[in-house]
Amino acid sequence: MTGEAAFIAALRELTSHPAARGLADDCAVLDIGGETLVLTHDMMVEGVHWLRGQDPADIAWKLVAVNLSDLAAKGAEPIGVLLGYSLGADDLRFLDGLRDALEAFAVPLLGGDTVGGGAVQVHGLTALGRATCLPVPSRAGARAGDRVWLTGAVGAAMLGFDAVRRGVDDPANRQAFCRPVPLLAEGRALAPLVSAMMDVSDGLLLDASRLATASGVTLTLERGAIPLAQGVEQAGRADEALRWGDDYQLLFTLPPGTQPPVPAREIGEILGPGTAPLLLDCAPPDTAQSLGYLHRSSP
Amino acid sequence: MTGEAAFIAALRELTSHPAARGLADDCAVLDIGGETLVLTHDMMVEGVHWLRGQDPADIAWKLVAVNLSDLAAKGAEPIGVLLGYSLGADDLRFLDGLRDALEAFAVPLLGGDTVGGGAVQVHGLTALGRATCLPVPSRAGARAGDRVWLTGAVGAAMLGFDAVRRGVDDPANRQAFCRPVPLLAEGRALAPLVSAMMDVSDGLLLDASRLATASGVTLTLERGAIPLAQGVEQAGRADEALRWGDDYQLLFTLPPGTQPPVPAREIGEILGPGTAPLLLDCAPPDTAQSLGYLHRSSP
C-alpha cells in the first residue's frame, strides 16, 4: 500500500457517518433541511497537478472544473465554491481564470482562505451542490449484467499535457488539458437512470477498477470499443490513454436495454464478482504499469 | 496594500452572492431548504501557521479547532468537515490528533482529498454548520452605544508559541497554542443576543478593527479592562498580547444593559463612525507595529 493509500485507509477508520460514504465516493452526500447536499474538496499542487510555468488562469479554471466534475458525477447542480488559495507570483492572473470558470459554470464564490509562505503553491476548492435526483448515484451500484458506458473519448488531456510541456502548438488538446469542462448537464440527465457513476479523473482503468471494487463486481472493458481522442492511435499511445486521467468523462453503468439520454459509447459490461475487479479484453490489465493517476506527476 | 489584501480585494469583485457576505465575515451563510448553512474554509501552512517539528497531532487538532471557531462565532452547530491534506513525514500521527478533535467536538469527517508532492505541507479544512439562530451574527451589526465584550484572556497562545519554539516546559500555555478550544457552546448562547460577533484569530486589535470597519463604526477599547493570560504582564508583553492571535476568544457587542449569558469581560464601547475604526485608551493604536496576524509567521 502506498503512503497515500495507507493514510486513506486509516482515515476511513475515523468516519462512520453515512454522508461520508466510506470516503470511497467522489463526494459526500448529506441530507439537510429537506434538501440533499453534495460536497467535494479537491486540491491541486504545483509540479504535481500542473506544470511549473503554466498559465495561472488555467490552474484556476481547472481547480473549479475538477471539483464541479465530481458534482457532475452525482447529477448535482452546483450551489457555490469555497477557495483555499496559496499566494504566488501572479495572483491576479489566477483570478482571471477563476472569473472565467465561475461565469462559465454559473457558480458563485462563497468564501475561503488565502495564505502565503508556501514554497510550492497548493490550492484547494470545496464545491457544494444540490442533488437533483434521489438516490444520489454512487460508485457502488453496478450489478452483474449492467452495461458500462463512457461519455466521450480519452487521451486528449494526455496529448495536451505534452503540448504544454513541450511548448507545441496544439490548441484543441491544450484546451482539453488546461480547461476541462465538467459534464454537469450530462450528469443531471444520467443520474435518474444509472446504477453507478463516477468521473474519470485518474485514468479510465484505475477509475473503472474503483467503480468495480466499490460495487463488489467485475467490470470488463472491450478495448476496441473505448473511444480515443484524435491523434492518440497515430501516436502509438492507445494503451497509455487508458491509464491517463484528466479527461473528466463520465463513466457509468446502465441496466441492459437502457439507452443513455446523452452521447455516450458502450465500452463494456458488469460481471459477477471474480478474481480481479477489472478485465480488459477478458484479461486483467498489465499492472506492471500503473492503472492511472501517477501519470499526472510531473517528470 | 499587501499582496494578500490586494488579492482579497480583487476576489471581492468576483462575488456578489449574498451568502458570501462580501468575503468580509468569518463564514459564508447560505439558506438551503429549510435550514441555514454556515460554511468556512481555513488553511494552515508549515512554517507559517505551525513551527516545523511540531507534533502533527497538534496541527490536526488546531486545523479542526480554528475552523470550528469560525462556526462558533456564528452560533452554528457543526455538521461535518472535509479535509484537504498534504502528505508528510508522520501522517498517522496527524490522524491521532484529527481523531481527538473530531471526538472532542463531536463532528464527523465527511470527505476531502489527499495530495503528495508539496515541499511544504499545506492543509485545508472546510467546516459546515447549521445556524441555531437567525439572523446569523455577522461582524457588521455593531451600533453606536453597544458595549464590546471578550469571552476570556488573550496572550496564552503567545506564551505557548514561545514555549514550543524554545522547548520550555509550560503545559498550560502550550495547550493554549497547540490545542485551542472553539467556544461552540458560548457562541450558541450568545448568538441570539449579540449585535456583532467574531472570533479573535489574528490578534485582538486587528480583529476588533475589522469588526469596526465591517460595522461602519469606531470601536474603542480600554486597555486596563482587557483580560490578559497569566504571566503576560510579568513578561512585559501586555501590548504584544493584544496583537497576537490564536487564542480563539469570541469578541462581541451587546446593546447597553444586556448581560452576556456566558463568562465574559466588558472591554470597550462602540462609537459612531470617526477618523479611525479602532481606538485604544482613546487614541488610535500604534500602527508602526502590526495590529496582528504577522506575529504568527515563523521567524
Side-chain angles (χ1 to χ4, degrees):
Chain A
M1 211 157 31
T2 64
E4 181 171 357
F7 181 77
I8 292 170
L11 260 186
R12 280 198 185 110
E13 301 289 311
L14 286 192
T15 186
S16 57
H17 195 288
R21 294 188 157 193
L23 304 184
D25 212 321
D26 296 296
C27 294
V29 177
L30 185 72
D31 292 325
I32 179 162
E35 296 263 12
T36 299
L37 213 59
V38 178
L39 296 154
T40 186
H41 179 81
D42 272 5
M43 300 170 89
M44 287 177 60
V45 180
E46 182 182 352
V48 178
H49 300 88
W50 76 87
L51 293 163
R52 285 190 186 85
Q54 253 190 269
D55 182 350
D58 289 342
I59 319 300
W61 174 286
K62 193 157 177 173
L63 183 64
V64 175
V66 303
N67 277 285
L68 295 186
S69 179
D70 285 328
L71 297 188
K74 305 290 110 188
E77 176 182 74
I79 295 175
V81 299
L82 303 175
L83 170 67
Y85 182 72
S86 299
L87 293 163
D90 196 354
D91 302 320
L92 296 181
R93 182 72 189 141
F94 182 92
L95 285 184
D96 288 340
L98 183 64
R99 185 185 304 109
D100 289 351
L102 297 176
E103 284 177 10
F105 309 127
V107 57
L109 175 70
L110 300 181
D113 195 16
T114 304
V115 293
V120 163
Q121 282 190 297
V122 178
H123 309 312
L125 193 105
T126 300
L128 284 84
R130 181 187 282 112
T132 60
C133 150
L134 297 179
V136 175
S138 81
R139 298 180 179 183
R143 281 167 302 226
D146 286 351
R147 302 299 189 258
V148 179
W149 297 79
L150 189 67
T151 47
V154 294
M158 175 184 78
L159 298 178
F161 172 81
D162 282 346
V164 171
R165 192 173 51 164
R166 295 180 185 160
V168 173
D169 185 40
D170 179 356
N173 289 322
R174 274 175 177 262
Q175 185 83 3
F177 176 69
C178 296
R179 299 233 170 182
V181 174
L183 300 178
L184 289 159
E186 290 81 351
R188 282 201 294 272
L190 288 164
L193 305 172
V194 299
S195 49
M197 183 155 61
M198 68 185 298
D199 69 327
V200 181
S201 53
D202 293 344
L204 178 61
L205 298 188
L206 181 57
D207 286 332
S209 124
R210 288 168 171 165
L211 189 150
T213 302
S215 296
V217 297
T218 296
L219 189 157
T220 176
L221 294 175
E222 193 188 329
R223 192 188 287 268
I226 299 167
L228 298 174
Q230 206 179 354
V232 168
E233 201 112 44
Q234 296 86 322
R237 300 179 68 182
D239 190 67
E240 204 184 335
L242 307 186
R243 298 163 191 268
W244 237 92
D246 269 0
D247 286 305
Y248 303 98
Q249 300 295 346
L250 296 175
L251 175 71
F252 57 96
T253 55
L254 290 174
T258 303
Q259 287 299 312
V262 301
R265 288 273 283 278
E266 189 178 326
I267 61 170
E269 193 174 343
I270 300 295
L271 310 176
T275 50
L278 180 67
L279 302 176
L280 184 61
D281 286 346
C282 304
D286 177 9
T287 51
Q289 299 169 64
S290 163
L291 294 180
Y293 176 70
L294 296 173
H295 287 272
R296 293 199 298 165
S297 301
S298 71
Chain B
M1 207 153 34
T2 65
E4 180 171 357
F7 181 77
I8 292 170
L11 260 186
R12 280 199 184 111
E13 301 289 311
L14 285 192
T15 186
S16 57
H17 196 288
R21 294 190 159 191
L23 305 183
D25 212 322
D26 296 295
C27 294
V29 177
L30 184 73
D31 291 325
I32 178 153
E35 295 265 13
T36 299
L37 212 60
V38 178
L39 296 153
T40 187
H41 179 81
D42 272 4
M43 301 170 87
M44 287 176 60
V45 180
E46 182 181 354
V48 178
H49 299 88
W50 76 85
L51 293 163
R52 285 189 185 88
Q54 254 189 267
D55 182 350
D58 289 341
I59 319 299
W61 174 286
K62 193 157 176 173
L63 184 64
V64 175
V66 303
N67 277 284
L68 295 187
S69 179
D70 285 328
L71 297 188
K74 307 288 112 187
E77 177 183 74
I79 295 174
V81 300
L82 303 174
L83 171 67
Y85 182 72
S86 300
L87 294 163
D90 195 355
D91 302 321
L92 296 182
R93 183 70 191 144
F94 182 92
L95 286 184
D96 289 339
L98 183 64
R99 184 185 304 107
D100 290 350
L102 297 176
E103 285 177 10
F105 309 127
V107 56
L109 176 70
L110 300 182
D113 194 17
T114 304
V115 293
V120 162
Q121 282 191 297
V122 179
H123 309 313
L125 193 106
T126 300
L128 285 82
R130 181 187 281 111
T132 60
C133 148
L134 296 179
V136 175
S138 81
R139 297 181 179 182
R143 281 167 302 226
D146 285 352
R147 302 297 190 257
V148 179
W149 296 79
L150 189 67
T151 47
V154 293
M158 175 184 78
L159 298 178
F161 172 81
D162 282 346
V164 171
R165 191 173 51 165
R166 296 180 185 160
V168 173
D169 184 40
D170 179 357
N173 290 320
R174 274 175 177 263
Q175 184 84 1
F177 177 69
C178 297
R179 299 233 170 181
V181 175
L183 300 177
L184 289 159
E186 290 83 349
R188 282 201 294 273
L190 287 165
L193 304 173
V194 300
S195 49
M197 183 154 63
M198 68 185 296
D199 70 325
V200 181
S201 54
D202 291 345
L204 178 60
L205 298 188
L206 181 57
D207 286 333
S209 121
R210 287 169 172 164
L211 188 150
T213 302
S215 296
V217 297
T218 296
L219 189 157
T220 177
L221 294 176
E222 194 188 330
R223 192 188 287 268
I226 300 167
L228 298 174
Q230 206 178 355
V232 168
E233 200 113 43
Q234 295 86 322
R237 299 180 69 182
D239 190 68
E240 205 185 334
L242 307 186
R243 298 161 191 270
W244 237 91
D246 270 359
D247 287 305
Y248 302 98
Q249 299 295 346
L250 295 175
L251 175 71
F252 57 97
T253 56
L254 290 175
T258 303
Q259 287 298 313
V262 300
R265 288 273 284 276
E266 189 178 326
I267 62 169
E269 192 174 342
I270 300 295
L271 311 176
T275 50
L278 181 66
L279 302 175
L280 183 61
D281 287 345
C282 304
D286 177 8
T287 51
Q289 300 168 64
S290 161
L291 294 180
Y293 176 72
L294 297 174
H295 287 271
R296 293 199 297 166
S297 300
S298 71

